Amino acid sequence: MTVGLPGTGIGGIFYLVSIFVMFIKERVKKTLKKKYHPEMNFMYKQFLMALGIVFSLWLMSWFLGVTLQKTSGLVREAAQLLPTRQTPFISFGIALFVLFIGEMASFFIRKK
Amino acid sequence: MPTIVSSKQQEKQKIALLKYADLTVIIPAYNEAKTIQDTVISIQNQTVQPKEILVVDDCSSDNTADIARALGVRVIQAPYNTGSKAGAQTYALPFVDTFYTCALDADTTLAQDAIEKLLPAFQESHIAAACGTVLPRQVKTIWERGRYIEYLFAFTFYKPIQDYFGKPLISSGCFSIYRTQVLREVGGWSNKTMAEDMDLTWTLYSKNYGVRFLPNAISYPIEPNNFSFLRKQLRRWSHGFVQNILIHWKDIMRIPYLRMAVIVAFWDATVASVIFLIAVPLFSLLYQNPIFLLAYVLDAPAILVPVLIQAKERKEMTKALISFPAFFVLRIVNGIFILQALWSEIILKKSLHTYEKGH
């Protein structure tokens, strides 16, 4: 089952960050242990996919920014309200904030 | 020169050489005459056969039981309609005498090697459940196409990374294998929520058991092909999600990674739904400009990346590209149902407990 709105909301950002964390962990493991880790192929595939997602998000932001700049009148005025360049940072910030609140709540619950 | 084989590799080889697994497949069925034959045959054609196939006839009014018996499988009839899939499955549990139990929906078929691909998950002794990739059996209507993209996305992007961190969010109810002893320990599948698969998965985590996702074990359920069917399914899933959060939130908060995955899922289900369904249309109306509607498809290229990766592996690029726009329609509908579920379960305190499958 899937619920809610699967996509690249803060859930998507969370999983992107998870992939990058996973990649770094496995690279460090491989470097330290100096032996083939069977999950490395999986890591590379997920990492490349994550890079592809980040690149496509950047591409979409850039494309929107360029397209909306070329419009005029009310559309251009409305477009200037849209934070196309800041959106990824805003989304990342919201994701961090939500996770921080969640971790704080978890900390207090575990303390009880 | 003798080859030294580790015990893990020996176990792998043992499972690989198995023709029969110490496994019972439970198929709960209520009026599934149209689909039960395909389901049973897909089990009988598995590369690794279960020891027993057990169809639970939940007092069907059609000839589900007769069709199943004609296929040579054991059919048990519940003494009264249990009212849900969870009820039927739990009713069958005392009849199981194998080490592993598989729960399989009566409208779900399996890839020929699905059981073979899933069993190696249990090489680790703390693993209590394992699940695989789910893909719609038919992809024709807008709803099936939307679900197809949703699954390609989730099972390529979210699920593998959840598995890496040891916390697949749900062991899919349509096809999962469990250690029978652990199932009995937790009392089988509960009727407390509308999403018994999520309830069972989170219960297993709370008792320090593990769950695995193995992407090559593929199952094909019949997904809703019309809005009436879809509505009932989304109602169950949405209410089930909220019910499980209300029941399990304290346990979840103690489990690293799982708590973060659930928090972001809950945020996206609530806040993102409000933004999509209320804020975006409101801004468009206030500013008399449809430009804000771009928010609905802003992440389209990002969603396309994992979808096309999986579609390419499956040689289904054309199907994926044609189906892609349907995802955005289904996403809006998902949002409507989750908001309705949140309102009903949390604000009105009206909990849904009537199980309606829809077909």
Side-chain angles (χ1 to χ4, degrees):
Chain A
M1 58 174 286
T2 50
V3 280
L5 298 173
T8 51
I10 67 159
I13 290 171
F14 169 69
Y15 287 111
L16 278 177
V17 170
S18 297
I19 290 173
F20 292 130
V21 166
M22 169 183 73
F23 185 76
I24 292 167
K25 264 182 78 174
E26 291 303 316
R27 284 292 327 178
V28 167
K29 257 198 237 176
K30 188 173 185 251
T31 307
L32 291 176
K33 290 182 182 174
K34 291 184 178 20
K35 71 177 180 185
Y36 174 69
H37 197 293
E39 290 181 354
M40 284 310 290
N41 286 337
F42 163 73
M43 302 304 148
Y44 283 124
K45 184 181 158 188
Q46 293 296 107
F47 181 66
L48 287 172
M49 182 180 71
L51 284 182
I53 291 171
V54 171
F55 174 71
S56 65
L57 283 171
W58 172 83
L59 197 66
M60 187 65 160
S61 290
W62 171 81
F63 173 76
L64 266 180
V66 162
T67 309
L68 293 174
Q69 284 302 313
K70 291 191 172 154
T71 57
S72 58
L74 287 173
V75 175
R76 193 188 166 105
E77 276 178 38
Q80 275 159 4
L81 295 167
L82 297 173
T84 47
R85 284 192 191 164
Q86 293 85 359
T87 301
F89 301 102
I90 294 171
S91 302
F92 188 70
I94 293 171
L96 276 181
F97 174 73
V98 169
L99 288 170
F100 174 75
I101 297 293
E103 288 300 300
M104 285 295 107
S106 155
F107 174 75
F108 285 114
I109 287 167
R110 278 178 282 142
K111 271 271 189 196
K112 276 190 185 175
Chain B
M1 192 184 240
T3 310
I4 298 166
V5 179
S6 70
S7 60
K8 212 171 189 179
Q9 279 176 310
Q10 280 174 6
E11 190 58 40
K12 244 188 191 166
Q13 284 168 3
K14 210 162 80 177
I15 289 173
L17 292 169
L18 272 179
K19 195 169 156 46
Y20 295 95
D22 197 18
L23 168 75
T24 300
V25 178
I26 294 177
I27 306 175
Y30 175 70
N31 288 350
E32 301 280 5
K34 287 182 188 164
T35 57
I36 190 77
Q37 180 168 304
D38 287 343
T39 300
V40 170
I41 288 172
S42 83
I43 303 289
Q44 290 172 333
N45 287 338
Q46 287 292 296
T47 50
V48 172
Q49 288 285 303
K51 190 172 158 195
E52 184 166 38
I53 301 170
L54 193 55
V55 171
V56 187
D57 176 24
D58 206 359
C59 299
S60 304
S61 56
D62 65 7
N63 58 340
T64 300
D66 293 333
I67 294 172
R69 275 190 205 100
L71 292 164
V73 303
R74 186 176 173 196
V75 178
I76 57 171
Q77 178 154 51
Y80 50 84
N81 179 265
T82 64
S84 67
K85 190 171 85 164
Q89 284 171 181
T90 303
Y91 173 75
L93 204 46
F95 294 87
V96 174
D97 63 0
T98 50
F99 198 74
Y100 301 108
T101 299
C102 171
L104 180 68
D105 278 2
D107 62 0
T108 298
T109 55
L110 301 181
Q112 204 175 11
D113 57 358
I115 291 177
E116 179 191 341
K117 288 280 191 270
L118 211 50
L119 283 173
F122 296 94
Q123 287 168 17
E124 295 167 77
S125 56
H126 76 289
I127 297 299
C131 58
T133 297
V134 179
L135 289 168
R137 192 145 24 129
Q138 285 152 23
V139 181
K140 289 180 186 156
T141 65
I142 187 172
W143 311 116
E144 289 164 331
R145 290 190 183 280
R147 186 56 56 76
Y148 171 66
I149 299 297
E150 206 174 84
Y151 283 168
L152 282 183
F153 179 75
F155 287 102
T156 308
F157 183 22
Y158 290 172
K159 215 76 184 232
I161 191 68
Q162 289 170 1
D163 181 65
Y164 174 81
F165 284 99
K167 297 290 178 290
L169 208 58
I170 307 163
S171 191
S172 308
C174 65
F175 171 54
S176 285
I177 295 180
Y178 307 88
R179 286 189 200 273
T180 307
Q181 182 199 337
V182 176
L183 263 183
R184 290 201 171 109
E185 182 189 313
V186 301
W189 295 265
S190 167
N191 268 325
K192 289 195 308 278
T193 75
M194 287 280 100
E196 75 290 331
D197 48 0
M198 183 181 274
D199 186 4
L200 179 55
T201 308
W202 292 3
T203 300
L204 293 173
Y205 286 139
S206 70
K207 294 192 181 303
N208 294 321
Y209 289 110
V211 176
R212 285 293 318 275
F213 164 71
L214 274 68
N216 293 330
I218 306 175
S219 60
Y220 303 98
I222 289 178
E223 293 293 339
N225 58 358
N226 59 53
F227 188 73
S228 170
F229 185 1
L230 180 76
R231 183 177 62 83
K232 287 169 186 160
Q233 187 193 60
L234 288 182
R235 249 185 114 218
R236 280 201 326 272
W237 286 5
S238 301
H239 279 262
F241 177 60
V242 180
Q243 288 163 353
N244 276 296
I245 296 218
L246 292 174
I247 290 171
H248 291 280
W249 71 275
K250 277 192 184 156
D251 288 329
I252 289 168
M253 289 304 232
R254 293 188 168 88
I255 304 171
Y257 199 81
L258 180 67
R259 62 174 172 257
M260 289 194 272
V262 172
I263 286 167
V264 296
F266 187 71
W267 175 275
D268 277 348
T270 50
V271 176
S273 297
V274 169
I275 291 171
F276 265 44
L277 296 172
I278 299 170
V280 167
L282 203 62
F283 269 92
S284 297
L285 284 170
L286 275 173
Y287 287 93
Q288 300 276 305
N289 199 305
I291 204 165
F292 294 94
L293 299 178
L294 279 173
Y296 290 124
V297 294
L298 210 57
D299 54 356
I303 292 167
L304 203 53
V305 170
V307 164
L308 289 184
I309 286 173
Q310 185 67 239
K312 185 166 186 297
E313 278 178 28
R314 298 184 54 80
K315 299 186 171 70
E316 292 176 355
M317 290 286 267
T318 308
K319 185 156 92 174
L321 286 168
I322 292 171
S323 303
F324 191 63
F327 168 81
F328 299 93
V329 178
L330 184 60
R331 187 160 72 166
I332 300 292
V333 176
N334 268 341
I336 294 169
F337 279 93
I338 195 69
L339 284 183
Q340 186 277 329
L342 285 161
W343 181 257
S344 177
E345 295 280 342
I346 296 177
I347 309 295
L348 300 180
K349 302 231 186 285
K350 266 175 72 178
S351 194
L352 178 73
H353 285 289
T354 306
Y355 192 97
E356 280 185 293
K357 182 148 187 190
H359 73 88

